[in-house]
Amino acid sequence: MDFSEAQIERYSRHIILSEVGVEGQQKLLESKVLIIGTGGLGAPAAMFLAAAGIGTIGLVDADSVDLSNLQRQIIHQTKDVGKLKVISGKETINEMNPDVNVITYHTFVNASNILEIIKDQDYDFIIDGTDNFGAKFLINDACVLAKKPFSHAGIIRFNGQLTTYIPDNNTPCYRCMFKEPPPEGAVPTCREAGVLGVMGGVIGTLQATEAIKYILGLGETLAGYLLTYDAIKMEFRKIKIKHNTKCGICGEEPTINELIDYKPPVCSI
């Protein structure tokens, strides 16, 4: 791939990194990342992936921009209130970096469409930016079945968590940690409990970091670990998690052979 002078200047701080260089930047420009949810997590993840030069970014969201979103969803602006989030996100990304091909999916993911969306561009990495347990289990199961790496994350109040799943690497999936969604109403929603706006920036940016590192084959990901963050204590904890051989989706004898639509939505931590 021949870089234009503008691209050499735009990505110069990447290119001078020995761990990235010209070849690494080319990998980024040829890569495809799917972001499911353009809210508190997906917004900052999308911004930094676009800035990094990810060649194709898919945005999945069925909602429109609401004024209450703007406290944390930095990809949207006041002028975008009422606009479809995927359109607002696409416009912001392309204003910042015209190199990026943004594919929009104005829909909620469900058991009947998620695999088609993942296969649409044969995405290299999936980012779970959703805010409810049902979607998180669905994304997990779809990625395991499709053998796609993904980053799970969740935020609420002053806390966040994330982990990365890599197929064929004997790493635990989301179901290895949490067998099934909690009973309806057992966990407060973000609307009920609140969330510090910058939590999305902290955790969503880490999700983007995981995607970039995976694409570049750089360093260690969070596969096999759960990283938690407590903003009040300013404390990160990296917790080792094991692959559950009895996991219903990725265990030795899986019992889940088709995708499940759970009742929405309760906000995950």
Side-chain angles (χ1 to χ4, degrees):
M1 179 177 180
D2 294 326
F3 288 84
S4 67
E5 290 186 10
Q7 286 177 317
I8 291 173
E9 183 174 359
R10 178 185 291 272
Y11 305 120
S12 61
R13 301 305 191 274
H14 273 177
I15 293 171
I16 63 175
L17 292 171
S18 60
E19 296 88 348
V20 181
V22 172
E23 290 184 1
Q25 188 60 50
Q26 182 173 334
K27 284 183 180 180
L28 296 177
L29 286 164
E30 293 174 348
S31 66
K32 304 171 184 178
V33 176
L34 179 67
I35 302 173
I36 304 178
T38 56
L41 293 165
M47 294 287 280
F48 273 101
L49 290 173
I54 297 298
T56 299
I57 294 178
L59 300 178
V60 186
D61 206 305
D63 287 337
S64 299
V65 180
D66 184 83
L67 191 60
S68 66
N69 300 151
L70 304 184
Q71 166 250 16
R72 63 202 176 280
Q73 299 178 19
I74 60 170
I75 204 168
H76 313 299
Q77 303 176 44
T78 303
K79 66 179 178 61
D80 297 319
V81 171
K83 186 180 294 184
L84 296 181
K85 286 187 177 181
V86 291
I87 299 302
S88 170
K90 176 182 173 68
E91 291 174 350
T92 301
I93 287 172
N94 285 147
E95 285 174 5
M96 178 175 62
N97 190 352
D99 286 346
V100 182
N101 177 31
V102 183
I103 310 295
T104 61
Y105 307 89
H106 176 226
T107 184
F108 288 114
V109 289
N110 56 53
S112 66
N113 69 11
I114 187 169
L115 288 175
E116 292 181 5
I117 292 172
I118 290 172
K119 293 176 182 177
D120 179 50
Q121 299 291 318
D122 191 21
Y123 288 99
D124 301 303
F125 195 91
I126 319 297
I127 286 183
D128 170 12
T130 63
D131 64 354
N132 68 86
F133 286 109
K136 292 185 180 302
F137 278 90
L138 178 67
I139 293 167
N140 175 82
D141 295 353
C143 288
V144 172
L145 292 176
K147 295 187 176 181
K148 292 290 185 179
F150 80 98
S151 170
H152 149 79
I155 55 173
I156 196 168
R157 291 180 54 78
F158 302 93
N159 299 94
Q161 68 178 35
L162 71 154
T163 188
T164 297
Y165 168 79
I166 298 177
D168 300 324
N169 197 34
N170 201 36
T171 55
C173 75
Y174 188 61
R175 276 190 190 273
C176 288
M177 296 184 288
F178 310 106
K179 184 178 179 181
E180 58 188 18
E184 189 173 1
V187 179
T189 66
C190 283
R191 180 172 294 183
E192 295 167 335
V195 60
L196 186 68
V198 296
M199 292 301 304
V202 174
I203 304 301
T205 302
L206 290 175
Q207 287 186 283
T209 306
E210 288 289 275
I212 291 170
K213 286 168 57 185
Y214 174 81
I215 291 165
L216 294 176
L218 181 63
E220 299 179 0
T221 69
L222 284 171
Y225 293 91
L226 180 70
L227 184 69
T228 66
Y229 174 57
D230 183 329
I232 294 294
K233 296 180 180 179
M234 193 52 71
E235 180 178 85
F236 283 93
R237 293 182 62 204
K238 189 177 178 182
I239 305 164
K240 179 71 175 177
I241 50 178
K242 295 182 178 180
H243 175 235
N244 181 3
T245 58
K246 296 182 179 180
C247 175
I249 190 72
C250 75
E252 294 175 354
E253 298 180 2
T255 57
I256 300 172
N257 300 311
E258 58 184 27
L259 298 176
I260 305 167
D261 281 323
Y262 291 99
K263 290 182 179 181
V266 287
C267 188
S268 171
I269 60 169

